[in-house]
Amino acid sequence: MKNIEKLNRSLTEFYDKMSSWEQSVVKDTPYSLAQIHTIEVLGHHQALRMKDLAEKLAITTGTLTVQIERLVAAKLVERVADPQDRRAIVVVLTEQGKAIYQQHNQLHLDLVKELSKHIEPEQMAVLLDSLDKINNEF
């Protein structure tokens, strides 16, 4: 049980630090953290249906609809016909949205490089495997 308690503290501390870092990154931008997270997910997946995007963000489609309306108004995303099913609509980043994604993603990459500079390749492989297992549970 000791390891579970230690893991709990470590994950909580990491989450708090990551959340604080995320807030500091977006505080001087005109975008909310929720908007940046939406842009991140779309940047990773290129195009998603609203239902799939909501699942990846772990929010309701109603909440996502409000979010997408704001991002459309800001000209960061657009709704387009799904190439596989012309009756369906997918959400994609605009060129401006892609630029914001690339900028924010680079900040993440720089942070991860800094945080992992003392982690050996074998340790990195174990960490990646462990995080994949944790993420697959959500």
Side-chain angles (χ1 to χ4, degrees), residues 35-47:
Q35 289 171 321
I36 293 296
H37 284 164
T38 303
I39 290 168
E40 279 181 303
V41 171
L42 286 171
H44 289 303
H45 296 279
Q46 307 305 312

Side-chain angles (χ1 to χ4, degrees), residues 2 24 27 29 56 71 86 96 100 104 117 137:
K2 232 10 173 182
S24 72
K27 74 176 173 136
T29 72
K56 293 196 179 301
L71 291 171
R86 305 290 289 165
Q96 185 179 348
I100 290 170
H104 191 77
K117 67 183 176 188
E137 289 296 316

Side-chain angles (χ1 to χ4, degrees), residues 39-129:
I39 290 168
E40 279 181 303
V41 171
L42 286 171
H44 289 303
H45 296 279
Q46 307 305 312
L48 288 169
R49 291 182 184 196
M50 290 286 284
K51 179 183 177 222
D52 297 328
L53 181 55
E55 285 176 11
K56 293 196 179 301
L57 291 167
I59 60 176
T60 67
T61 53
T63 299
L64 180 61
T65 298
V66 172
Q67 188 79 301
I68 293 300
E69 289 298 327
R70 290 180 181 148
L71 291 171
V72 167
K75 299 186 182 342
L76 301 179
V77 303
E78 60 186 354
R79 293 179 181 99
V80 298
D82 185 337
Q84 276 81 41
D85 180 357
R86 305 290 289 165
R87 299 167 296 167
I89 300 294
V90 295
V91 182
V92 298
L93 293 175
T94 62
E95 290 305 313
Q96 185 179 348
K98 288 176 186 176
I100 290 170
Y101 163 73
Q102 290 168 347
Q103 177 186 16
H104 191 77
N105 191 54
Q106 188 60 54
L107 292 172
H108 274 271
L109 291 173
D110 293 344
L111 176 65
V112 171
K113 284 178 191 173
E114 180 65 26
L115 293 176
S116 64
K117 67 183 176 188
H118 299 295
I119 297 176
E120 298 298 325
E122 302 81 25
Q123 293 172 310
M124 181 69 79
V126 170
L127 177 59
L128 285 170
D129 185 55

